[in-house]
Amino acid sequence: MASTNSTAEGIARTASSASYILKAVAGSERNAALTAVYKHLQAAKDEIIEANRKDMAAAEEQAVAGKLSRSMIKRLDLSKPGKWEDMLQGILDVRDLEDPVGKVTLATKLDNGLDLHRVTSPIGVLLVIFEARPEVIANITALALKSGNAAILKGGKESTQSFAAIARVVSSALGTTSIPPGAIQLVETREDVSALLDQDQYIDLVIPRGSNELVRFIQNNTKIPVMGHADGLCAVYIHEDADEEKAVKVVLDSKTDYPAACNAVETLLVHESISNTVLPKIASALLQVGVSLRCDLASRKALESPGLPTAMKAIIQDATPQDYHTEFLDLTIAVKVVSSLEEAIVHINTHSSGHTDGILTESEEVAERFMNVVDSAGVFWNASTRFADGFRYGFGTEVGISTNKIHARGPVGLEGLMIYKYKLRGNGQGAGDYGSGKKQYLHQKIE
Amino acid sequence: MASTNSTAEGIARTASSASYILKAVAGSERNAALTAVYKHLQAAKDEIIEANRKDMAAAEEQAVAGKLSRSMIKRLDLSKPGKWEDMLQGILDVRDLEDPVGKVTLATKLDNGLDLHRVTSPIGVLLVIFEARPEVIANITALALKSGNAAILKGGKESTQSFAAIARVVSSALGTTSIPPGAIQLVETREDVSALLDQDQYIDLVIPRGSNELVRFIQNNTKIPVMGHADGLCAVYIHEDADEEKAVKVVLDSKTDYPAACNAVETLLVHESISNTVLPKIASALLQVGVSLRCDLASRKALESPGLPTAMKAIIQDATPQDYHTEFLDLTIAVKVVSSLEEAIVHINTHSSGHTDGILTESEEVAERFMNVVDSAGVFWNASTRFADGFRYGFGTEVGISTNKIHARGPVGLEGLMIYKYKLRGNGQGAGDYGSGKKQYLHQKIE
């Protein structure tokens, strides 16, 4: 993964050159490269785990000094049971997915002997910026190679030693294949990233994973297209005819299955006609597992009148307008009573980040209206927002989740790393041969 | 097309509100709106032609003062035989295309009673900036309505009266349908456009058509994704085994069919082994129709030695390095001799704008190598670059041609105006129900 030139431009140019080779390599060769990466990582386990221990020790020092959370240390740890094996298996899983390169998605006979095919092809050069999770480098490497894209990788600084060790192994693995090692390059410092964001001549797509601040910084500081999401502000709306049991279950799972995830619910909207019946049941279930409720006036009133225990009522807080724009990423949820499906839809289309929003209702008509009009990447009926995930969707893996309005939306797997080109195969035709009084186009679908 | 608020933010917000209504409207209603637009335009022909005459008169004055070209006046003229009828027929043609909204592109049973569908949906709000051709407003209006997108339109200033007249008619036509008139809005001044480029909260995609300078200005002055092309720097490479007749024909058509078009060829690359045989034939054909040749040393030498008439040799010019980066948009072509297919590919991947590049060869293997490795939206074998066009590709029409590396590439029809959403229909499931020792995902394809 060493680059011949360690300036940002040199790294980007190296990636660009490698990408032209990678584009032309057969699927079997890309798969062979993934097998080589797998085998080399397997053989270098001790060396990588040793590097990972150094990251862990440094993180431990930071944690003792109060500068790093315990959960960060957990995420760094490659020796955790199953983690190493999962990382390696993930490479083989990606290898065994269908080849996304060279699929014909449109075929038209413009005329006899003039055939047009639209064929999927790699985007080119990806810049992927991700959190301090050492296994992600293997995952992104696998996705990039499988999709025929060169990638420049930057991981969170807490995992520097682990990344460097894995990067060395990937580089030497690629050295044994037809893929140039420059196809996967690692950059180590935050400064490198800033300079790389200027390389729009060579880099085709930036994929940031990480904090809102990081994603926003990148969106605001590059002309390169950015794919990802700054916020995951998901809402669940409980319609008047919702099944109580399903509503309690789905809200609880959406909020508590993994509160720090981008697909956790942050806002609960409840139809006014069930604010005295279903809402208290949901509130009680949430409060019991320690979720803080930030309530508007109507939901607070509804929760104060009937059956909630006094101790629970006491911990209900008043919501501020800002709470309905906030991704808490924690055991907190904003609650609001609405008077209709349409009010819920308008609230969501105004406040949502376009990630995933759900409805609980027993009416198919109501659900379809919600799913058609709510403009988010995921629109869910009677199911937890937590299902918004590439693995759960059956993509094998994901490179990230996008709230973009173009190219790719929702969990992005291999397909989101592809573009296409038009191949036209002729026999010496000129466009001037066609037109009024001349040859006519056939425009027949080629089967 | 009037907006309730004529500030850029007001226009953008109006478009955004309209887009949420448009997203939920059935295909039959969008088609009915197109029929209404068609009928209202037909009824208002006299009024629109009168407005167009005012534009023509003003343009005539500008032309007399030397400030406008004659070809611009020609393009403005809606009374030219067939133009009005073609404009109206175009609306019906778009109406009769397959509905691009709501197509299921992926369907997976995650579990029994937990079905995932990926469904095409409109992007939202488009800002389309185009040249002074009055018929384009009808075309873009049709594409936007058919695809369920709201659009803000800005046409070239020379056609202001025509645009305003057409816009009034479109607005009153929409007033008779279920589509809010705010779905299609016209802005009139350049200042409006600058302010609209800041409305990334409401506008999802900018589509500029026009000069390189305009497109570059827009790309450099907005955070909204831009789809289009600044340059159309197309090359044709003549391989050593090319058929002479096809080579002459394809180069001549690529250069002279419509030299001002983005899909006209600007650079001719010729294999050295045929520089004394095929190149003079091509050069002679080009020179005879008044094309200027800018030659590198090798091609100049090749053309000076053998059969070209002396008068022709005299008008051959030396190429500067800049000529291989130049979109002449005129009867000029840069010529270069290369020593191999690979040198031609590297030249193209370095200099091309990624629009359309072609090869002339009788070898399928050579052609496939070229088409796989040249990284352009169109890669053509033995066919004129001029075929790169939405109508010729059979898309019915096009909103523009894109050299982007993500979302849509090449001629962009209705499909390029779509994104998708994931609809998940469940029965109260939580993500916490699944995992090791719990329920397992089925991930079965739904037929």
Side-chain angles (χ1 to χ4, degrees), chain A residues 16 403 432:
Chain A
S16 178
T403 54

Side-chain angles (χ1 to χ4, degrees), chain A residues 246 249 253 368 371-372 374 377 379 381-382 392 407 421-428 431-433 443, chain B residues 246 249 253 368 371-372 374 377 379 381-382 392 407 421-428 431-433 443:
Chain A
K246 290 178 195 170
K249 167 98 186 268
D253 186 89
E368 295 300 328
M371 291 194 285
N372 284 332
V374 167
V379 281
W381 176 22
N382 289 347
R392 289 168 188 163
H407 188 67
K421 55 167 73 168
Y422 289 95
K423 295 183 175 179
L424 182 65
R425 296 177 174 91
N427 194 25
D433 304 343
H443 291 153
Chain B
K246 290 179 194 169
K249 166 98 185 271
D253 186 89
E368 294 300 328
M371 290 193 286
N372 284 332
V374 167
V379 282
W381 176 23
N382 290 346
R392 288 167 187 163
H407 189 67
K421 55 168 71 169
Y422 288 95
K423 294 182 175 179
L424 182 64
R425 296 176 175 92
N427 194 26
D433 303 344
H443 291 152

Side-chain angles (χ1 to χ4, degrees), chain A residues 20-21 23-24 106 108 110 114 116 118 121-125 204-205 219-220 223 225-226 246 249-250 253 257 349-350 360 362 364 368-384 386-388 390-395 404-412 415-416 418-434 441 443, chain B residues 20-21 23-24 106 108 110 114 116 118 121-125 204-205 219-220 223 225-226 246 249-250 253 257 349-350 360 362 364 368-384 386-388 390-395 404-412 415-416 418-434 441 443:
Chain A
Y20 287 115
I21 297 170
K23 271 180 218 289
L106 183 132
T108 307
L110 304 192
L114 190 62
L116 180 74
R118 186 173 66 194
S121 58
I123 289 174
V125 178
D204 300 300
L205 184 63
Q219 286 169 337
N220 292 332
K223 279 193 278 177
V226 178
K246 290 178 195 170
K249 167 98 186 268
V250 165
D253 186 89
D257 185 55
N349 280 337
T350 312
L360 273 292
E362 291 304 295
E364 182 170 354
E368 295 300 328
R369 166 88 190 151
F370 180 91
M371 291 194 285
N372 284 332
V373 185
V374 167
D375 185 29
S376 298
V379 281
F380 289 8
W381 176 22
N382 289 347
S384 168
R386 287 275 299 139
F387 285 110
F391 172 72
R392 289 168 188 163
Y393 276 12
F395 298 169
N404 290 17
K405 296 291 282 291
I406 65 164
H407 188 67
R409 213 177 178 201
V412 179
E415 264 186 76
M418 307 308 295
I419 184 69
Y420 50 77
K421 55 167 73 168
Y422 289 95
K423 295 183 175 179
L424 182 65
R425 296 177 174 91
N427 194 25
Q429 292 91 338
D433 304 343
Y434 297 80
Y441 291 100
H443 291 153
Chain B
Y20 287 114
I21 296 170
K23 271 181 219 288
L106 184 133
T108 307
L110 304 192
L114 190 62
L116 181 74
R118 186 173 67 195
S121 58
I123 289 174
V125 178
D204 300 301
L205 184 63
Q219 285 169 337
N220 291 331
K223 279 194 277 175
V226 178
K246 290 179 194 169
K249 166 98 185 271
V250 165
D253 186 89
D257 185 54
N349 279 338
T350 311
L360 272 293
E362 291 303 297
E364 183 170 353
E368 294 300 328
R369 167 88 190 150
F370 179 91
M371 290 193 286
N372 284 332
V373 185
V374 167
D375 184 30
S376 298
V379 282
F380 288 9
W381 176 23
N382 290 346
S384 168
R386 288 274 300 139
F387 285 110
F391 171 73
R392 288 167 187 163
Y393 278 11
F395 297 170
N404 290 17
K405 297 291 282 292
I406 65 164
H407 189 67
R409 213 178 178 200
V412 178
E415 264 187 78
M418 307 307 295
I419 183 70
Y420 51 76
K421 55 168 71 169
Y422 288 95
K423 294 182 175 179
L424 182 64
R425 296 176 175 92
N427 194 26
Q429 293 91 339
D433 303 344
Y434 296 81
Y441 291 101
H443 291 152

Side-chain angles (χ1 to χ4, degrees), chain A residues 238-251:
Chain A
I238 318 292
H239 193 56
E240 53 187 335
D241 67 351
D243 178 275
E244 188 179 295
E245 199 180 323
K246 290 178 195 170
V248 172
K249 167 98 186 268
V250 165
V251 173

